Protein backbone atom coordinates (compact mmCIF):
# COMPACT_ATOMS: atom_id res chain seq x y z
CA UNK A 1 0.00 0.00 0.00
CA UNK A 2 1.39 3.38 -1.02
CA UNK A 3 0.94 6.51 1.07
CA UNK A 4 2.10 9.97 0.07
CA UNK A 5 4.34 11.37 2.77
CA UNK A 6 4.19 15.15 2.70
CA UNK A 7 7.52 15.35 4.45
CA UNK A 8 9.43 14.08 1.42
CA UNK A 9 6.75 14.57 -1.23
CA UNK A 10 6.79 10.95 -2.26
CA UNK A 11 4.48 8.00 -2.24
CA UNK A 12 6.05 5.33 -0.06
CA UNK A 13 5.23 1.72 0.68
CA UNK A 14 3.44 1.81 4.03
CA UNK A 15 5.10 -0.19 6.77
CA UNK A 16 3.78 0.32 10.27
CA UNK A 17 6.31 0.75 13.05
CA UNK A 18 4.80 -2.25 14.80
CA UNK A 19 3.59 -5.04 12.48
CA UNK A 20 -0.18 -5.12 12.09
CA UNK A 21 -0.75 -1.98 14.15
CA UNK A 22 -1.20 1.63 13.18
CA UNK A 23 -1.07 4.56 15.56
CA UNK A 24 -2.48 7.72 14.08
CA UNK A 25 -3.32 11.23 15.20
CA UNK A 26 -5.27 13.97 13.48
CA UNK A 27 -5.31 17.51 14.85
CA UNK A 28 -8.78 18.27 16.11
CA UNK A 29 -10.76 21.50 16.00
CA UNK A 30 -10.54 24.59 18.13
CA UNK A 31 -13.98 24.56 19.70
CA UNK A 32 -15.27 28.13 19.58
CA UNK A 33 -18.00 27.73 16.93
CA UNK A 34 -19.68 25.17 14.67
CA UNK A 35 -17.11 23.66 12.28
CA UNK A 36 -17.45 24.40 8.57
CA UNK A 37 -17.53 21.87 5.75
CA UNK A 38 -13.87 22.58 4.94
CA UNK A 39 -12.88 21.31 8.40
CA UNK A 40 -15.29 18.44 7.86
CA UNK A 41 -13.54 17.48 4.64
CA UNK A 42 -10.29 16.98 6.51
CA UNK A 43 -11.93 14.91 9.26
CA UNK A 44 -13.83 12.87 6.68
CA UNK A 45 -10.65 12.10 4.72
CA UNK A 46 -8.99 10.66 7.80
CA UNK A 47 -12.14 8.78 8.75
CA UNK A 48 -11.99 6.96 5.42
CA UNK A 49 -8.23 6.42 5.71
CA UNK A 50 -8.75 4.89 9.14
CA UNK A 51 -11.64 2.72 7.94
CA UNK A 52 -9.60 1.45 5.00
CA UNK A 53 -6.61 0.61 7.21
CA UNK A 54 -9.00 -1.39 9.38
CA UNK A 55 -10.46 -3.07 6.29
CA UNK A 56 -6.91 -4.11 5.39
CA UNK A 57 -6.66 -5.79 8.77
CA UNK A 58 -4.62 -3.26 10.73
CA UNK A 59 -5.40 -2.65 14.35
CA UNK A 60 -5.71 1.12 14.33
CA UNK A 61 -5.43 3.35 17.39
CA UNK A 62 -6.75 6.76 16.49
CA UNK A 63 -6.39 9.86 18.64
CA UNK A 64 -7.78 13.32 18.05
CA UNK A 65 -7.63 16.28 20.42
CA UNK A 66 -10.07 19.03 21.17
CA UNK A 67 -8.37 22.40 21.49
CA UNK A 68 -10.47 23.79 24.31
CA UNK A 69 -8.29 26.70 25.39
CA UNK A 70 -7.18 29.23 22.78
CA UNK A 71 -7.36 32.93 21.86
CA UNK A 72 -10.39 32.33 19.64
CA UNK A 73 -12.30 30.68 22.46
CA UNK A 74 -11.36 33.41 24.92
CA UNK A 75 -12.39 36.13 22.44
CA UNK A 76 -15.72 34.45 21.75
CA UNK A 77 -16.35 34.09 25.48
CA UNK A 78 -15.59 37.76 26.05
CA UNK A 79 -17.91 38.80 23.20
CA UNK A 80 -20.71 36.74 24.69
CA UNK A 81 -20.03 37.51 28.33
CA UNK A 82 -19.50 33.84 29.15
CA UNK A 83 -16.57 31.85 30.45
CA UNK A 84 -14.14 30.26 28.00
CA UNK A 85 -14.94 26.88 29.57
CA UNK A 86 -18.64 27.32 28.73
CA UNK A 87 -17.91 28.19 25.12
CA UNK A 88 -15.53 25.25 24.76
CA UNK A 89 -18.02 22.87 26.36
CA UNK A 90 -20.86 23.97 24.07
CA UNK A 91 -18.88 23.70 20.85
CA UNK A 92 -16.97 20.58 21.88
CA UNK A 93 -20.31 18.85 22.31
CA UNK A 94 -21.62 20.36 19.06
CA UNK A 95 -18.55 19.12 17.20
CA UNK A 96 -18.98 15.54 18.43
CA UNK A 97 -22.69 15.68 17.57
CA UNK A 98 -22.01 16.78 13.99
CA UNK A 99 -19.27 14.17 13.58
CA UNK A 100 -21.80 11.51 14.55
CA UNK A 101 -24.35 12.87 12.09
CA UNK A 102 -21.70 12.82 9.39
CA UNK A 103 -20.96 9.15 10.12
CA UNK A 104 -17.42 9.79 11.37
CA UNK A 105 -16.17 7.16 13.79
CA UNK A 106 -15.23 8.33 17.27
CA UNK A 107 -11.52 8.44 17.99
CA UNK A 108 -10.22 5.83 20.44
CA UNK A 109 -8.73 8.66 22.46
CA UNK A 110 -10.06 12.22 22.55
CA UNK A 111 -7.84 14.27 24.86
CA UNK A 112 -8.72 17.85 25.72
CA UNK A 113 -5.98 20.43 26.15
CA UNK A 114 -7.28 21.72 29.47
CA UNK A 115 -6.95 18.25 30.99
CA UNK A 116 -3.40 17.68 29.78
CA UNK A 117 -1.64 20.61 31.38
CA UNK A 118 0.69 18.38 33.36
CA UNK A 119 1.97 16.47 30.31
CA UNK A 120 2.60 19.76 28.52
CA UNK A 121 4.45 21.30 31.42
CA UNK A 122 6.60 18.22 31.66
CA UNK A 123 7.57 18.52 28.01
CA UNK A 124 8.24 22.25 28.32
CA UNK A 125 10.48 21.51 31.33
CA UNK A 126 12.53 19.06 29.27
CA UNK A 127 12.89 21.58 26.44
CA UNK A 128 14.08 24.31 28.82
CA UNK A 129 16.53 21.90 30.42
CA UNK A 130 17.96 20.89 27.06
CA UNK A 131 18.43 24.49 26.00
CA UNK A 132 15.72 24.44 23.33
CA UNK A 133 13.38 26.78 25.17
CA UNK A 134 13.66 29.88 27.31
CA UNK A 135 11.51 31.81 29.78
CA UNK A 136 10.85 35.38 28.64
CA UNK A 137 10.78 38.27 31.13
CA UNK A 138 6.96 38.33 31.16
CA UNK A 139 6.62 34.62 32.03
CA UNK A 140 5.99 33.35 28.47
CA UNK A 141 8.06 30.33 27.49
CA UNK A 142 9.33 30.17 23.91
CA UNK A 143 10.83 27.45 21.79
CA UNK A 144 14.06 28.67 20.26
CA UNK A 145 13.95 27.69 16.60
CA UNK A 146 17.65 28.47 16.13
CA UNK A 147 18.49 25.80 18.70
CA UNK A 148 17.05 23.13 16.40
CA UNK A 149 19.22 22.52 13.36
CA UNK A 150 16.46 20.52 11.73
CA UNK A 151 13.88 23.28 11.99
CA UNK A 152 12.11 23.55 8.63
CA UNK A 153 12.59 19.90 7.73
CA UNK A 154 8.88 19.12 7.46
CA UNK A 155 7.75 22.13 5.49
CA UNK A 156 10.96 22.41 3.49
CA UNK A 157 11.71 25.95 4.65
CA UNK A 158 14.96 27.62 5.52
CA UNK A 159 14.74 29.97 8.45
CA UNK A 160 16.78 32.66 6.75
CA UNK A 161 14.46 32.76 3.78
CA UNK A 162 11.30 33.11 5.79
CA UNK A 163 9.65 36.41 6.50
CA UNK A 164 8.27 37.08 9.93
CA UNK A 165 4.78 38.37 10.34
CA UNK A 166 3.26 36.28 7.56
CA UNK A 167 2.01 33.34 9.57
CA UNK A 168 4.09 33.88 12.65
CA UNK A 169 3.15 36.16 15.49
CA UNK A 170 5.58 39.00 16.05
CA UNK A 171 6.18 40.18 19.61
CA UNK A 172 9.08 41.69 21.52
CA UNK A 173 9.34 38.93 24.11
CA UNK A 174 10.82 36.58 21.50
CA UNK A 175 14.53 36.35 20.84
CA UNK A 176 13.77 35.42 17.23
CA UNK A 177 10.56 36.20 15.36
CA UNK A 178 10.13 32.51 14.47
CA UNK A 179 10.30 31.37 18.07
CA UNK A 180 6.92 30.14 19.17
CA UNK A 181 5.10 30.10 22.50
CA UNK A 182 5.09 26.87 24.48
CA UNK A 183 3.49 28.60 27.45
CA UNK A 184 1.67 31.92 27.54
CA UNK A 185 1.72 34.00 30.72
CA UNK A 186 -1.79 34.72 31.98
CA UNK A 187 -3.48 37.99 31.14
CA UNK A 188 -6.26 39.26 33.42
CA UNK A 189 -9.54 37.42 32.90
CA UNK A 190 -8.00 34.54 30.95
CA UNK A 191 -8.13 30.90 32.03
CA UNK A 192 -4.79 29.93 33.57
CA UNK A 193 -2.97 27.22 35.44
CA UNK A 194 -0.05 27.45 37.87
CA UNK A 195 3.35 26.50 36.49
CA UNK A 196 7.04 26.75 37.40
CA UNK A 197 7.09 29.85 35.14
CA UNK A 198 4.06 31.51 36.68
CA UNK A 199 0.32 31.39 35.94
CA UNK A 200 -0.42 30.78 32.29
CA UNK A 201 -1.79 28.50 29.61
CA UNK A 202 -0.27 26.21 26.99
CA UNK A 203 0.48 27.15 23.40
CA UNK A 204 -1.39 25.36 20.62
CA UNK A 205 1.62 23.57 19.09
CA UNK A 206 2.58 22.17 22.46
CA UNK A 207 -0.77 20.56 23.02
CA UNK A 208 -0.80 18.01 20.18
CA UNK A 209 2.83 17.08 20.72
CA UNK A 210 2.47 16.33 24.44
CA UNK A 211 -0.78 14.41 23.89
CA UNK A 212 0.68 12.26 21.13
CA UNK A 213 3.62 11.41 23.35
CA UNK A 214 1.40 10.60 26.28
CA UNK A 215 -1.30 8.56 24.57
CA UNK A 216 0.34 6.99 21.53
CA UNK A 217 4.08 7.18 22.19
CA UNK A 218 6.44 8.78 19.68
CA UNK A 219 7.06 8.36 16.84
CA UNK A 220 3.60 7.47 15.56
CA UNK A 221 2.81 5.97 12.17
CA UNK A 222 0.57 8.65 10.71
CA UNK A 223 0.05 12.27 11.65
CA UNK A 224 -2.62 14.12 9.72
CA UNK A 225 -4.32 17.44 9.28
CA UNK A 226 -5.21 19.97 6.61
CA UNK A 227 -2.45 21.25 4.32
CA UNK A 228 -2.71 24.65 6.02
CA UNK A 229 -1.29 23.06 9.18
CA UNK A 230 2.07 22.04 7.68
CA UNK A 231 3.55 25.37 8.66
CA UNK A 232 3.90 26.47 11.33
CA UNK A 233 1.78 24.01 13.36
CA UNK A 234 3.24 20.68 12.29
CA UNK A 235 6.71 22.07 11.79
CA UNK A 236 6.59 23.26 15.40
CA UNK A 237 5.11 20.01 16.66
CA UNK A 238 7.87 17.92 15.14
CA UNK A 239 10.59 20.33 16.28
CA UNK A 240 9.43 19.97 19.89
CA UNK A 241 9.31 16.17 19.70
CA UNK A 242 12.73 15.91 18.10
CA UNK A 243 14.31 18.19 20.68
CA UNK A 244 12.50 16.77 23.73
CA UNK A 245 12.69 13.05 22.98
CA UNK A 246 15.25 12.70 20.22
CA UNK A 247 12.83 11.17 17.73
CA UNK A 248 10.57 12.57 15.04
CA UNK A 249 6.92 12.89 15.94
CA UNK A 250 5.62 10.81 13.04
CA UNK A 251 6.85 8.51 10.33
CA UNK A 252 4.29 9.56 7.75
CA UNK A 253 2.76 13.01 7.51
CA UNK A 254 -0.49 13.26 5.60
CA UNK A 255 -2.19 16.49 4.59
CA UNK A 256 -5.53 17.11 2.98
CA UNK A 257 -6.21 19.66 0.26
CA UNK A 258 -8.41 22.62 1.01
CA UNK A 259 -12.11 22.74 0.32
CA UNK A 260 -12.83 25.85 -1.72
CA UNK A 261 -15.78 27.92 -2.79
CA UNK A 262 -15.45 29.98 -5.96
CA UNK A 263 -11.76 29.14 -6.07
CA UNK A 264 -11.05 30.38 -2.55
CA UNK A 265 -10.24 28.38 0.56
CA UNK A 266 -13.27 28.09 2.82
CA UNK A 267 -12.45 29.74 6.12
CA UNK A 268 -14.07 31.50 9.01
CA UNK A 269 -11.94 34.58 8.50
CA UNK A 270 -12.99 35.03 4.85
CA UNK A 271 -16.63 34.53 5.82
CA UNK A 272 -17.19 32.23 2.81
CA UNK A 273 -18.21 29.21 4.83
CA UNK A 274 -21.12 26.86 5.38
CA UNK A 275 -21.26 25.04 8.66
CA UNK A 276 -21.45 21.26 8.59
CA UNK A 277 -24.60 21.54 10.66
CA UNK A 278 -26.48 23.70 8.17
CA UNK A 279 -25.50 21.44 5.28
CA UNK A 280 -26.49 18.25 7.14
CA UNK A 281 -29.79 19.86 8.11
CA UNK A 282 -30.63 19.98 4.41
CA UNK A 283 -28.78 17.09 2.76
CA UNK A 284 -28.18 13.42 3.56
CA UNK A 285 -24.79 12.89 5.20
CA UNK A 286 -23.90 10.23 2.66
CA UNK A 287 -24.49 12.60 -0.26
CA UNK A 288 -22.01 15.06 1.27
CA UNK A 289 -19.60 12.17 1.86
CA UNK A 290 -20.00 10.99 -1.70
CA UNK A 291 -19.33 14.45 -3.08
CA UNK A 292 -16.18 14.88 -1.00
CA UNK A 293 -14.80 11.43 -1.77
CA UNK A 294 -15.09 12.02 -5.49
CA UNK A 295 -11.98 14.18 -5.19
CA UNK A 296 -8.65 12.75 -4.05
CA UNK A 297 -7.93 13.83 -0.48
CA UNK A 298 -4.79 15.76 -1.41
CA UNK A 299 -6.40 17.74 -4.23
CA UNK A 300 -8.34 20.93 -3.64
CA UNK A 301 -12.07 20.30 -3.59
CA UNK A 302 -14.42 22.78 -5.22
CA UNK A 303 -17.65 22.81 -3.34
CA UNK A 304 -20.96 23.96 -4.75
CA UNK A 305 -24.58 23.19 -3.97
CA UNK A 306 -25.11 22.20 -7.62
CA UNK A 307 -22.51 19.48 -7.18
CA UNK A 308 -24.09 18.43 -3.92
CA UNK A 309 -27.52 18.15 -5.60
CA UNK A 310 -25.84 15.93 -8.18
CA UNK A 311 -24.48 13.73 -5.39
CA UNK A 312 -27.95 13.31 -3.93
CA UNK A 313 -29.00 11.82 -7.28
CA UNK A 314 -25.90 9.64 -7.46
CA UNK A 315 -26.51 8.33 -3.96
CA UNK A 316 -30.10 7.52 -4.92
CA UNK A 317 -28.95 5.56 -7.97
CA UNK A 318 -26.46 3.63 -5.89
CA UNK A 319 -29.02 2.82 -3.20
CA UNK A 320 -31.72 1.82 -5.66
CA UNK A 321 -29.35 -0.45 -7.55
CA UNK A 322 -28.59 -2.36 -4.35
CA UNK A 323 -32.26 -2.40 -3.44
CA UNK A 324 -33.19 -3.69 -6.89
CA UNK A 325 -30.56 -6.41 -6.68
CA UNK A 326 -31.88 -7.57 -3.32
CA UNK A 327 -35.37 -7.43 -4.74
CA UNK A 328 -34.48 -9.42 -7.78
CA UNK A 329 -32.85 -11.96 -5.46
CA UNK A 330 -36.02 -12.24 -3.41
CA UNK A 331 -38.24 -12.62 -6.44
CA UNK A 332 -36.01 -14.83 -8.56
CA UNK A 333 -36.93 -18.36 -9.55
CA UNK A 334 -34.93 -21.10 -7.82
CA UNK A 335 -31.32 -20.94 -8.92
CA UNK A 336 -30.31 -23.44 -11.54
CA UNK A 337 -27.13 -23.44 -13.57
CA UNK A 338 -25.64 -19.98 -13.97
CA UNK A 339 -26.01 -18.66 -17.49
CA UNK A 340 -23.65 -16.40 -19.37
CA UNK A 341 -25.32 -13.26 -18.09
CA UNK A 342 -25.01 -14.42 -14.48
CA UNK A 343 -21.37 -15.31 -14.95
CA UNK A 344 -20.56 -11.94 -16.43
CA UNK A 345 -22.07 -10.06 -13.45
CA UNK A 346 -20.21 -12.38 -11.14
CA UNK A 347 -16.93 -11.58 -12.91
CA UNK A 348 -17.71 -7.84 -12.94
CA UNK A 349 -18.24 -7.98 -9.17
CA UNK A 350 -14.86 -9.59 -8.53
CA UNK A 351 -13.16 -7.13 -10.85
CA UNK A 352 -14.78 -4.16 -9.14
CA UNK A 353 -13.64 -5.41 -5.74
CA UNK A 354 -10.07 -5.84 -6.95
CA UNK A 355 -10.11 -2.43 -8.62
CA UNK A 356 -11.46 -0.81 -5.45
CA UNK A 357 -8.57 -2.22 -3.43
CA UNK A 358 -6.01 -1.29 -6.07
CA UNK A 359 -7.26 2.31 -6.08
CA UNK A 360 -7.36 2.61 -2.31
CA UNK A 361 -3.92 1.02 -2.04
CA UNK A 362 -2.67 3.84 -4.21
CA UNK A 363 -2.65 6.58 -1.57
CA UNK A 364 -6.35 6.22 -0.77
CA UNK A 365 -7.64 7.15 -4.18
CA UNK A 366 -11.29 7.33 -3.20
CA UNK A 367 -12.22 8.85 -6.57
CA UNK A 368 -10.88 5.78 -8.36
CA UNK A 369 -12.48 3.49 -5.79
CA UNK A 370 -15.85 5.14 -6.39
CA UNK A 371 -15.42 4.78 -10.14
CA UNK A 372 -15.04 1.03 -9.52
CA UNK A 373 -18.27 1.05 -7.52
CA UNK A 374 -20.17 2.95 -10.20
CA UNK A 375 -18.82 0.69 -12.92
CA UNK A 376 -20.36 -2.21 -11.01
CA UNK A 377 -23.64 -0.32 -10.60
CA UNK A 378 -23.77 0.03 -14.40
CA UNK A 379 -23.14 -3.71 -14.89
CA UNK A 380 -25.73 -4.59 -12.26
CA UNK A 381 -28.39 -2.36 -13.81
CA UNK A 382 -27.77 -3.85 -17.25
CA UNK A 383 -27.97 -7.31 -15.74
CA UNK A 384 -31.28 -6.60 -14.02
CA UNK A 385 -32.76 -5.23 -17.22
CA UNK A 386 -31.60 -8.18 -19.30
CA UNK A 387 -32.26 -10.93 -16.80
CA UNK A 388 -35.72 -9.47 -16.13
CA UNK A 389 -37.58 -11.98 -13.96
CA UNK A 390 -34.83 -14.56 -14.41
CA UNK A 391 -32.10 -13.21 -12.23
CA UNK A 392 -29.93 -15.52 -10.18
CA UNK A 393 -30.42 -15.17 -6.42
CA UNK A 394 -26.83 -16.07 -5.63
CA UNK A 395 -25.32 -13.66 -8.13
CA UNK A 396 -27.58 -10.69 -7.35
CA UNK A 397 -27.08 -11.13 -3.61
CA UNK A 398 -23.34 -11.41 -4.00
CA UNK A 399 -23.24 -8.19 -6.04
CA UNK A 400 -25.54 -6.38 -3.63
CA UNK A 401 -23.35 -7.46 -0.70
CA UNK A 402 -20.19 -6.38 -2.50
CA UNK A 403 -21.64 -2.93 -3.22
CA UNK A 404 -22.82 -2.53 0.37
CA UNK A 405 -19.46 -3.61 1.74
CA UNK A 406 -17.36 -1.37 -0.50
CA UNK A 407 -19.60 1.59 0.24
CA UNK A 408 -19.28 0.69 3.93
CA UNK A 409 -15.48 0.96 3.72
CA UNK A 410 -16.03 4.53 2.53
CA UNK A 411 -18.44 5.05 5.43
CA UNK A 412 -21.50 5.14 3.16
CA UNK A 413 -24.27 3.14 4.73
CA UNK A 414 -26.70 2.16 1.99
CA UNK A 415 -29.18 0.68 4.42
CA UNK A 416 -29.76 4.25 5.61
CA UNK A 417 -30.76 5.24 2.10
CA UNK A 418 -33.28 2.50 1.47
CA UNK A 419 -36.09 2.40 3.93
CA UNK A 420 -39.79 2.60 3.93
CA UNK A 421 -39.36 6.24 4.95
CA UNK A 422 -39.20 6.98 1.25
CA UNK A 423 -42.71 5.71 0.77
CA UNK A 424 -45.58 8.17 1.17
CA UNK A 425 -47.05 7.79 4.63
CA UNK A 426 -50.51 6.72 3.49
CA UNK A 427 -48.99 3.88 1.48
CA UNK A 428 -46.91 2.75 4.41
CA UNK A 429 -50.15 2.61 6.38
CA UNK A 430 -51.84 0.64 3.64
CA UNK A 431 -48.93 -1.80 3.44
CA UNK A 432 -48.93 -2.27 7.20
CA UNK A 433 -52.66 -3.00 7.26
CA UNK A 434 -52.39 -5.68 4.66
CA UNK A 435 -52.40 -9.27 5.89
CA UNK A 436 -49.31 -10.14 3.85
CA UNK A 437 -47.12 -7.44 5.45
CA UNK A 438 -44.21 -9.23 7.00
CA UNK A 439 -41.81 -6.64 8.34
CA UNK A 440 -40.33 -3.18 8.18
CA UNK A 441 -38.28 -3.66 5.02
CA UNK A 442 -39.03 -2.36 1.54
CA UNK A 443 -39.46 -5.88 0.24
CA UNK A 444 -42.36 -6.64 2.56
CA UNK A 445 -43.84 -3.22 2.00
CA UNK A 446 -43.89 -3.67 -1.75
CA UNK A 447 -45.28 -7.21 -1.53
CA UNK A 448 -48.08 -6.03 0.69
CA UNK A 449 -48.75 -3.11 -1.62
CA UNK A 450 -48.90 -5.38 -4.62
CA UNK A 451 -51.53 -7.50 -2.89
CA UNK A 452 -53.45 -4.38 -1.86
CA UNK A 453 -53.32 -3.11 -5.43
CA UNK A 454 -54.78 -6.36 -6.74
CA UNK A 455 -57.64 -6.00 -4.31
CA UNK A 456 -58.21 -2.38 -5.29
CA UNK A 457 -58.33 -3.35 -8.96
CA UNK A 458 -60.69 -6.23 -8.26
CA UNK A 459 -63.09 -3.77 -6.66
CA UNK A 460 -62.50 -1.28 -9.55
CA UNK A 461 -60.96 1.27 -7.20
CA UNK A 462 -58.62 2.59 -9.91
CA UNK A 463 -57.38 5.67 -8.05
CA UNK A 464 -56.09 3.59 -5.13
CA UNK A 465 -54.60 1.04 -7.49
CA UNK A 466 -52.70 3.76 -9.36
CA UNK A 467 -51.51 5.42 -6.16
CA UNK A 468 -50.15 2.09 -5.01
CA UNK A 469 -48.37 1.56 -8.31
CA UNK A 470 -46.68 4.94 -7.87
CA UNK A 471 -45.75 4.05 -4.30
CA UNK A 472 -44.10 0.88 -5.48
CA UNK A 473 -42.12 2.95 -7.98
CA UNK A 474 -40.68 4.90 -5.05
CA UNK A 475 -39.12 1.64 -3.91
CA UNK A 476 -37.31 1.41 -7.22
CA UNK A 477 -39.66 -1.17 -8.71
CA UNK A 478 -42.33 -1.30 -11.36
CA UNK A 479 -45.50 -3.31 -11.44
CA UNK A 480 -45.75 -5.40 -14.54
CA UNK A 481 -49.18 -6.69 -15.39
CA UNK A 482 -48.86 -10.02 -17.10
CA UNK A 483 -51.49 -12.52 -18.18
CA UNK A 484 -50.44 -14.58 -15.16
CA UNK A 485 -51.08 -11.65 -12.80
CA UNK A 486 -49.09 -8.65 -11.58
CA UNK A 487 -45.48 -8.98 -10.63
CA UNK A 488 -42.69 -6.66 -9.58
CA UNK A 489 -39.47 -6.08 -11.31
CA UNK A 490 -36.55 -3.70 -10.98
CA UNK A 491 -37.02 -0.41 -12.76
CA UNK A 492 -34.87 0.00 -15.87
CA UNK A 493 -32.75 3.16 -15.77
P1 LIG B 1 -8.94 24.47 12.86
O1 LIG B 1 -10.05 24.32 13.86
O2 LIG B 1 -8.94 25.79 12.16
O3 LIG B 1 -7.60 24.08 13.44
O4 LIG B 1 -9.23 23.44 11.69
C1 LIG B 1 -9.47 22.07 11.90
C2 LIG B 1 -8.98 21.27 10.72
O5 LIG B 1 -9.65 21.66 9.52
C3 LIG B 1 -7.49 21.43 10.43
O6 LIG B 1 -6.94 20.16 10.12
C4 LIG B 1 -7.46 22.33 9.22
O7 LIG B 1 -6.32 22.12 8.44
C5 LIG B 1 -8.69 21.90 8.49
N1 LIG B 1 -9.22 22.90 7.56
C6 LIG B 1 -9.45 24.23 7.80
N2 LIG B 1 -9.97 24.83 6.69
C7 LIG B 1 -10.08 23.87 5.74
C8 LIG B 1 -10.56 23.85 4.39
N3 LIG B 1 -11.05 24.93 3.79
N4 LIG B 1 -10.52 22.67 3.72
C9 LIG B 1 -10.06 21.53 4.32
N5 LIG B 1 -9.59 21.50 5.58
C10 LIG B 1 -9.61 22.64 6.30
ZN1 LIG C 1 -1.90 19.55 16.06
Amino acid sequence: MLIYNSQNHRKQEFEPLEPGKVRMYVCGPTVYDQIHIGNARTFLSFDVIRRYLQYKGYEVTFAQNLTDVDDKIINRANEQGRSAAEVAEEFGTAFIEQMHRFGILDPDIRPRATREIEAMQEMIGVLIEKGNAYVAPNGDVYFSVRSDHDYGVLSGRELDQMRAGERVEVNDMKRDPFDFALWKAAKPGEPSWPSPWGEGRPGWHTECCAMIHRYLGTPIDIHGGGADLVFPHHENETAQAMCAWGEPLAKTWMHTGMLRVDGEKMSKSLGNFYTLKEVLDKYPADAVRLLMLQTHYRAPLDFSFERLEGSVGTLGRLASCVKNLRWAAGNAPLDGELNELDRSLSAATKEAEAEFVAQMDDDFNTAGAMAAIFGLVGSANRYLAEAAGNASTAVTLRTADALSELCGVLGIDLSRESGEGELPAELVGLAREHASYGGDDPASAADALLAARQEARASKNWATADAIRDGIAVLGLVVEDTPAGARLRAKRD
Side-chain angles (χ1 to χ4, degrees):
M1 181 165 57
L2 294 174
I3 303 187
Y4 183 91
N5 188 349
S6 26
Q7 175 147 14
N8 55 21
H9 310 283
R10 255 183 278 143
K11 282 188 198 172
Q12 293 173 312
E13 187 58 37
F14 178 64
E15 272 179 43
L17 292 156
E18 207 181 321
K21 297 190 175 167
V22 179
R23 286 172 297 137
M24 67 188 281
Y25 182 92
V26 174
C27 297
T30 305
V31 286
Y32 70 104
D33 206 345
Q34 288 282 348
I35 62 158
H36 61 62
I37 54 172
N39 307 131
R41 189 231 180 162
T42 288
F43 301 137
L44 173 71
S45 303
F46 288 103
D47 181 58
V48 171
I49 287 165
R50 174 193 189 182
R51 285 171 187 265
Y52 186 66
L53 289 167
Q54 283 171 336
Y55 175 72
K56 294 283 280 189
Y58 291 108
E59 191 186 307
V60 181
T61 310
F62 184 94
Q64 180 172 60
N65 67 313
L66 286 182
T67 298
D68 61 352
V69 57
D70 176 86
D71 289 341
K72 288 182 197 146
I73 299 172
I74 296 169
N75 293 343
R76 180 60 49 99
N78 289 341
E79 277 162 31
Q80 299 181 343
R82 302 199 277 166
S83 74
E86 271 171 359
V87 171
E89 182 61 33
E90 178 187 342
F91 292 108
T93 306
F95 169 70
I96 294 169
E97 221 171 78
Q98 298 310 316
M99 289 289 97
H100 289 166
R101 282 180 89 192
F102 202 17
I104 292 192
L105 300 174
D106 276 331
D108 300 301
I109 307 154
R110 196 188 316 264
R112 287 164 166 79
T114 54
R115 298 182 201 167
E116 305 295 331
I117 304 292
E118 207 181 306
M120 292 187 243
Q121 291 188 350
E122 202 177 301
M123 186 184 85
I124 296 169
V126 173
L127 290 170
I128 295 175
E129 211 176 279
K130 292 195 168 180
N132 298 107
Y134 57 92
V135 186
N138 69 343
D140 287 351
V141 182
Y142 290 100
F143 182 91
S144 159
V145 293
R146 302 269 168 200
S147 73
D148 175 14
H149 300 300
D150 288 330
Y151 192 80
V153 71
L154 178 67
S155 57
R157 288 160 196 251
E158 305 240 346
L159 268 179
D160 293 327
Q161 278 154 23
M162 293 198 267
R163 270 186 302 141
E166 257 177 307
R167 307 190 65 178
V168 175
E169 188 208 353
V170 183
N171 84 41
D172 55 13
M173 289 294 143
K174 297 181 182 180
R175 293 183 191 160
D176 184 290
F178 289 103
D179 291 351
F180 57 89
L182 300 171
W183 187 259
K184 298 181 177 187
K187 297 196 189 90
E190 284 186 0
S192 67
W193 290 262
S195 85
W197 322 289
E199 281 284 318
R201 62 185 164 97
W204 175 39
H205 314 301
T206 306
E207 180 188 319
C208 294
C209 190
M211 293 182 194
I212 291 172
H213 188 67
R214 172 164 185 205
Y215 290 102
L216 299 174
T218 48
I220 54 171
D221 294 291
I222 296 175
H223 190 320
D228 58 339
L229 296 189
V230 176
F231 186 84
H233 185 52
H234 289 166
E235 188 69 63
N236 292 351
E237 281 186 13
T238 200
Q240 294 168 88
M242 200 67 203
C243 293
W245 307 301
E247 292 209 80
L249 191 55
K251 192 172 166 195
T252 304
W253 289 85
M254 296 181 72
H255 292 101
T256 51
M258 293 294 105
L259 182 141
R260 310 189 295 201
V261 263
D262 303 324
E264 255 189 310
K265 175 189 166 187
M266 177 169 288
S267 75
K268 286 266 156 69
S269 52
L270 290 174
N272 61 349
F273 65 92
Y274 305 107
T275 64
L276 179 61
K277 181 178 185 308
E278 68 186 314
V279 172
L280 293 185
D281 282 347
K282 292 196 204 105
Y283 293 89
D286 281 342
V288 183
R289 203 174 252 269
L290 221 140
L291 166 74
M292 291 187 178
L293 297 180
Q294 264 160 338
T295 303
H296 187 271
Y297 77 88
R298 277 190 286 119
L301 187 157
D302 286 305
F303 176 83
S304 73
F305 283 101
E306 286 86 336
R307 286 191 70 193
L308 182 50
E309 296 284 351
S311 293
V312 174
T314 311
L315 179 65
R317 278 195 295 285
L318 189 56
S320 51
C321 174
V322 173
K323 209 156 53 183
N324 291 348
L325 284 166
R326 295 204 188 283
W327 251 96
N331 291 289
L334 280 183
D335 264 354
E337 283 277 292
L338 295 188
N339 61 28
E340 200 181 317
L341 205 58
D342 301 330
R343 279 195 300 272
S344 86
L345 181 60
S346 196
T349 304
K350 283 199 198 107
E351 273 164 36
E353 285 171 324
E355 179 62 11
F356 178 93
V357 170
Q359 292 294 339
M360 290 297 281
D361 274 354
D362 182 11
D363 191 30
F364 308 100
N365 186 358
T366 52
M370 294 224 309
I373 291 177
F374 289 118
L376 183 55
V377 167
S379 305
N381 286 343
R382 281 191 297 279
Y383 173 87
L384 288 172
E386 284 174 41
N390 240 335
S392 148
T393 303
V395 172
T396 45
L397 272 187
R398 165 86 176 82
T399 304
D401 288 346
L403 284 170
S404 299
E405 187 183 13
L406 298 182
C407 285
V409 176
L410 300 177
I412 295 170
D413 179 1
L414 291 179
S415 67
R416 267 202 297 256
E417 308 306 327
S418 56
E420 61 169 41
E422 292 177 37
L423 216 60
E426 62 273 24
L427 289 178
V428 175
L430 207 63
R432 282 226 175 92
E433 274 164 29
H434 200 269
S436 68
Y437 185 67
D440 263 351
D441 58 308
S444 310
D447 273 344
L449 284 174
L450 193 55
R453 177 174 174 269
Q454 290 308 96
E455 287 163 16
R457 284 166 67 95
S459 54
K460 302 205 183 325
N461 187 350
W462 306 118
T464 305
D466 287 352
I468 293 175
R469 185 196 54 214
D470 294 345
I472 289 170
V474 172
L475 295 172
L477 298 157
V478 288
V479 180
E480 200 169 52
D481 289 304
T482 72
R487 54 177 207 154
L488 293 171
R489 65 165 180 75
K491 205 181 333 186
R492 287 159 213 253
D493 274 342

